Amino acid sequence: MLIQGQNYKTVWMEGNIIKLINQPLLPHRFEITEVHNYEEVYLAIKTMVVRGAPAIGATAAYGVAQAVYDFQGPLKALKHHLAKVNKRIASSRPTAQDLFHGIANVTNSTINSKTVKEAKKKAVEAAEEYANNSVEECKKIGEHGSKLIKNNFKILTHCNAGALATVDYGTALAPIRIAHYNSKKIFIYVDETRPRLQGARLTSFELGEENIPHAIIADNAAGYYMRQKEIDICIVGADRIAANGDVANKIGTYEKAVLAKENDIPFYVAAPLSTFDLNCSSGNKIPIEERDQSEVLFSIGWNDNGDFNKVRISPENSKAKNPAFDITPARYITGIITPKGIINANKQGIRKLFCVERL
Ligand code: MRU
């Protein structure tokens, strides 16, 4: 992705250090954070220094690789160490399937090594391959999805499913990027996405850096614009897709999908293969993360002195509830844009995608 005219990825590894774009500081301050061990990987994911399902998956993959690379001891002890590392990283956030996919991918490529030296090499190679594959998948999502976008389209997106939520390109923002690179005239309605404001802070930042015309709207304004016939298509990302096509994504996605159906607007979900959970039969079984109530009770912004301010926006004694994701039932989803094409959001579509007979 372009930031200040330079190309960046959201996460990468240099030697035994993982580097991340520090997302809570954006759009006000651009900083790269270094992550040195698996406890720091756990914290970076939990505190959302890195967030977005595919970016979490790649960070976890690098985290396992780093733990193997830095391991000192005999091969027998490595297995025990890996189990401890995996358990800790996997406990950072519960909803995004990519987290577990990234951990399993590097672990499975490493676990049968004959020597510790071989394990180190295999782990780092597997993590690099995982991240590169993730970028390739997002590019393909962009190519397939951009065919849905006609000239002069106005597009609604929720949260940030952009390059910052992946290793690069994004999922929901990939078709938008490609349509823009192909000189289509488009306009993006960006839901602000309370309480963490991934739309207002991150999606608008990414679109601005690439001069893609957009406006941030309050979350509760989307229905108004849909009724005004101002929105031609909705494209969102996903944190986990169940085998029946139900989708977990950022809180507020469900209501946008219902409103889109009510207004006859196509509603698409864009996701790489790592987001599908074939072992999960329906959205009801997807664990939904409940985050700290302070994210709702307070707001963090940038003051005129060029610094961050945290301010209370509610009475001192009020409590809050803060589910981070919701489930959009498959019946509200027009199609899922994948690296292998656009599929129906149902068992048949997902079966064909993964070439499996039964789910
Ligand atoms: O809580 P977040 O910021 O990690 O949630 C991110 C989302 O819900 C995204 O839409 C999803 O992960 C897809 S990212 C390509």
Side-chain angles (χ1 to χ4, degrees):
M1 85 196 90
L2 277 182
I3 297 180
Q4 295 159 2
Q6 272 203 354
N7 247 312
Y8 282 94
K9 286 181 177 168
T10 298
V11 51
W12 68 99
M13 199 161 157
E14 275 176 29
N16 65 343
I17 294 176
I18 301 167
K19 301 215 172 181
L20 297 169
I21 294 179
N22 191 330
Q23 301 197 33
L25 303 183
L26 289 174
H28 312 294
R29 208 188 277 163
F30 178 69
E31 266 180 36
I32 306 297
T33 293
E34 294 191 348
V35 173
H36 303 94
N37 54 55
Y38 74 91
E39 188 57 30
E40 288 182 15
V41 171
Y42 162 84
L43 279 175
I45 297 173
K46 191 175 175 60
T47 62
M48 296 173 67
V49 168
V50 62
R51 33 65 51 199
I56 292 172
T59 306
Y62 279 128
V64 176
Q66 182 187 54
V68 175
Y69 189 82
D70 286 344
F71 176 75
Q72 309 274 345
L75 188 63
K76 260 208 261 162
L78 177 60
K79 278 195 184 161
H80 179 70
H81 181 61
L82 255 179
K84 196 170 73 180
V85 167
N86 288 3
K87 193 168 169 211
R88 186 63 172 157
I89 298 178
S91 69
S92 55
R93 294 188 76 186
T95 306
Q97 174 64 7
D98 308 57
L99 171 67
F100 311 105
H101 192 262
I103 293 171
N105 187 290
V106 176
T107 303
N108 293 340
S109 308
T110 308
I111 203 85
N112 292 324
S113 301
K114 300 277 180 295
T115 62
V116 171
K117 193 174 165 200
E118 182 191 335
K120 291 185 186 220
K121 185 168 175 286
K122 283 196 166 158
V124 173
E125 280 173 2
E128 279 305 335
E129 198 181 317
Y130 187 89
N132 291 338
N133 182 52
S134 181
V135 177
E136 286 311 307
E137 287 204 10
C138 286
K139 265 194 212 169
K140 288 190 184 134
I141 288 172
E143 283 158 17
H144 293 299
S146 65
K147 294 182 192 138
L148 299 167
I149 300 174
K150 301 203 179 100
N151 204 29
N152 292 317
F153 254 28
K154 300 190 190 94
I155 305 161
L156 179 85
T157 191
H158 190 67
C159 192
N160 172 262
L164 288 164
T166 60
V167 180
D168 204 352
Y169 280 92
T171 56
L173 289 199
I176 288 169
R177 278 202 156 81
I178 305 280
H180 175 73
Y181 298 158
N182 290 340
S183 305
K184 287 183 191 165
K185 204 172 151 239
I186 52 174
F187 186 88
I188 318 302
Y189 283 89
V190 179
D191 289 342
E192 60 175 349
T193 320
R194 282 272 298 150
R196 297 218 29 145
L197 302 172
Q198 290 94 329
R201 296 191 302 106
L202 306 175
T203 300
S204 58
F205 173 72
E206 279 191 35
L207 296 175
E209 290 292 314
E210 302 215 9
N211 294 316
I212 302 176
H214 65 278
I216 300 162
I217 58 170
D219 285 324
N220 35 17
Y224 167 79
Y225 284 112
M226 288 192 200
R227 244 188 120 237
Q228 297 282 321
K229 307 259 175 268
E230 269 292 306
I231 291 166
D232 298 294
I233 187 171
C234 306
I235 313 180
V236 301
D239 282 83
R240 197 187 292 218
I241 303 177
N244 68 345
D246 290 351
V247 167
N249 191 48
K250 180 53 55 195
I251 191 79
T253 303
Y254 169 48
E255 59 189 49
K256 304 300 178 276
V258 174
L259 279 169
K261 194 166 188 103
E262 163 73 12
N263 288 281
D264 282 327
I265 298 166
F267 189 92
Y268 283 91
V269 171
L273 302 184
S274 50
T275 305
F276 287 80
D277 182 359
L278 304 190
N279 294 319
C280 185
S281 56
S282 93
N284 297 339
K285 305 228 164 91
I286 299 177
I288 299 293
E289 177 182 14
E290 180 80 31
R291 292 190 63 86
D292 196 275
Q293 58 173 340
S294 65
E295 291 181 351
V296 176
L297 297 173
F298 294 84
S299 208
I300 300 175
W302 188 244
N303 65 25
D304 287 345
N305 300 328
D307 215 342
F308 287 97
N309 256 21
K310 182 175 175 183
V311 291
R312 183 181 276 279
I313 52 169
S314 47
E316 246 179 69
N317 296 328
S318 287
K319 301 268 179 279
K321 289 187 180 292
N322 188 14
F325 302 98
D326 61 23
I327 304 294
T328 301
R331 64 180 177 278
Y332 293 107
I333 299 167
T334 313
I336 305 177
I337 311 166
T338 80
K340 294 187 176 175
I342 300 170
I343 64 161
N344 290 330
N346 58 28
K347 266 192 187 175
Q348 291 90 311
I350 295 173
R351 247 184 0 224
K352 258 211 250 158
L353 178 67
F354 286 92
C355 302
V356 289
E357 287 192 358
R358 283 208 289 144
L359 277 176

